[in-house]
Amino acid sequence: MAKIKPSKGAAYARILGVGGYRPTRVVPNEVILETIESSDEWIRSRSGIETRHWASDEETVAAMSLEASGKAIADAGISAEQIGGVIVSTVSHFKQTPAVATEIADKLGTAKAAAFDISAGCAGFGYGLTLAKGMIVEGSAEYVLVIGVERLSDLTDLEDRATAFLFGDGAGAVVVGPSQEPAIGPTVWGSEGDKSETIKQTVPWTDYRNGTVEKFPAITQEGQAVFRWAVFEMAKVAQQALDAAGITVDDLDVFIPHQANVRIIDSMVKTLKLPEHVTVARDIRTTGNTSAASIPLAMERLLATGEAKSGDTALVIGFGAGLVYAATVVTLP
């Protein structure tokens, strides 16, 4: 029986660069109030959101991804030709095939990089990061680009009082490459499909095509059920990620949770008993919930503003439709 030659990858992987792109149009709560019965005070108190960005026709999933990716590649100090893999997490690319990752890989100028899309909702960045780490350690790529991108304004029902104010558009990207020391910890991830009805698309595309429904499909959720699950169950997952990395909350510098809701973020901070020195991302206030893009966008902003710095130890956790989740500890680029 022939013996398969072992892979020759890097010992470890790390995030080498990060980039983000937010559409130029800024949408305040007042615009949302044109179609739902609510108030600016209610939206802020329930979600923490003051403004969000909505994409123009030109700011496609691919276009936003290319902008964020170019910044991440430059930040990493490498060239696009060195990228061996492109992973895009999105639920708002409306071409079923081909994967938008292939278009991005080509337009960036990669040397025929492996390219594919994943659908893991708001946990998509964590899923992509884990896959990228595996590719680098396994040896199938030296550098992998991980992109979280959404145009959730296309999937927002502006008459749905529970969700109309939540979603925004944008793209965040990171370059993952080889490291001589551990810089991306073990991932704690999973799914709870029995709760999938709590966040979902209203109807299948086929119902709209066949005329069974007249309204274009949108994302809807059961707010209270999602809130309880996120606060209580995801705090446990976050702690498991810390344990898996072999650190405690006292060792943390930064906490970057999925930007779903400020109340969820604040409750997780309290449950985890994070020390006051830990910087907490609250990018949702001006960016809204951008699903797979929220963690890399928040990471990019913290580094750009100086609230976080290169080499900081950060806990990242994403959670959402599925219900799926992924948490890990990383060293910031």
Side-chain angles (χ1 to χ4, degrees):
M1 184 171 60
K3 290 185 178 179
I4 297 174
K5 186 178 179 180
S7 300
K8 291 184 178 180
Y12 307 105
R14 68 178 299 127
I15 299 174
L16 298 173
V18 61
Y21 180 80
R22 293 171 175 81
T24 55
R25 183 187 177 192
V26 177
V27 180
N29 289 337
E30 286 73 20
V31 172
I32 308 298
L33 296 176
E34 294 173 4
T35 52
I36 61 170
E37 215 176 292
S38 187
S39 69
D40 178 62
E41 181 184 1
W42 187 88
I43 292 173
R44 290 180 188 235
S45 65
R46 299 290 290 183
S47 68
I49 299 173
E50 302 166 10
T51 61
R52 75 282 292 143
H53 295 257
W54 282 355
S56 65
D57 290 344
E58 292 74 28
E59 291 168 318
T60 63
V61 165
M64 292 191 293
S65 296
L66 287 166
E67 291 287 343
S69 298
K71 294 175 184 176
I73 291 169
D75 192 42
I78 66 168
S79 66
E81 290 86 351
Q82 293 173 274
I83 299 289
V86 177
I87 303 171
V88 178
S89 178
T90 185
V91 299
S92 47
H93 174 57
F94 291 148
K95 279 188 178 179
Q96 199 71 39
T97 193
V100 72
T102 59
E103 177 185 348
I104 294 165
D106 176 60
K107 289 185 176 179
L108 282 173
T110 68
K112 299 182 180 180
F116 56 95
D117 297 352
I118 59 174
S119 177
C122 305
F125 176 74
Y127 275 54
L129 188 64
T130 303
L131 294 172
K133 173 186 173 183
M135 292 168 71
I136 290 158
V137 173
E138 187 269 341
S140 61
E142 185 175 11
Y143 299 100
V144 178
L145 182 65
V146 179
I147 304 165
V149 57
E150 300 292 2
R151 272 183 54 120
L152 294 181
S153 57
D154 291 333
L155 285 168
T156 298
D157 180 355
L158 292 177
E159 296 178 349
D160 181 358
R161 190 172 183 272
T163 60
F165 59 89
L166 281 177
F167 302 121
D169 303 336
V174 298
V175 172
V176 183
S179 175
Q180 295 183 349
E181 59 185 27
I184 301 175
T187 300
V188 177
W189 57 354
S191 65
E192 297 185 32
D194 60 315
K195 299 180 181 66
S196 62
E197 290 294 302
T198 56
I199 306 175
K200 64 179 183 179
Q201 183 172 306
T202 48
V203 295
W205 300 113
T206 48
D207 283 5
Y208 182 72
R209 180 196 66 189
N210 298 337
T212 307
V213 296
E214 294 183 0
K215 206 168 189 177
F216 193 76
I219 296 173
T220 187
Q221 69 174 31
E222 298 173 15
Q224 287 302 313
V226 173
F227 181 88
R228 288 192 297 270
W229 176 78
V231 169
F232 296 109
E233 297 303 321
M234 292 306 98
K236 296 176 188 176
V237 171
Q239 184 60 56
Q240 289 169 14
L242 291 172
D243 295 342
I247 68 171
T248 69
V249 290
D250 294 324
D251 300 313
L252 275 182
D253 300 303
V254 185
F255 179 43
I256 311 177
H258 164 49
Q259 303 294 291
N261 182 305
V262 163
R263 292 169 62 219
I264 290 175
I265 294 170
D266 291 344
S267 295
M268 290 182 70
V269 168
K270 184 177 181 180
T271 302
L272 288 167
K273 299 179 181 178
L274 295 186
E276 289 187 9
H277 75 262
V278 177
T279 297
V280 179
R282 293 185 176 87
D283 190 47
I284 189 172
R285 295 189 187 282
T286 56
T287 305
N289 180 341
T290 55
S291 189
S294 80
I295 290 176
L297 278 174
M299 182 184 295
E300 184 263 350
R301 175 162 281 173
L302 289 176
L303 289 166
T305 59
E307 296 173 80
K309 61 184 185 298
S310 174
D312 278 354
T313 300
L315 169 63
V316 299
I317 178 169
F319 46 85
L323 294 171
V324 295
Y325 55 87
T328 188
V329 174
V330 303
T331 301
L332 293 183

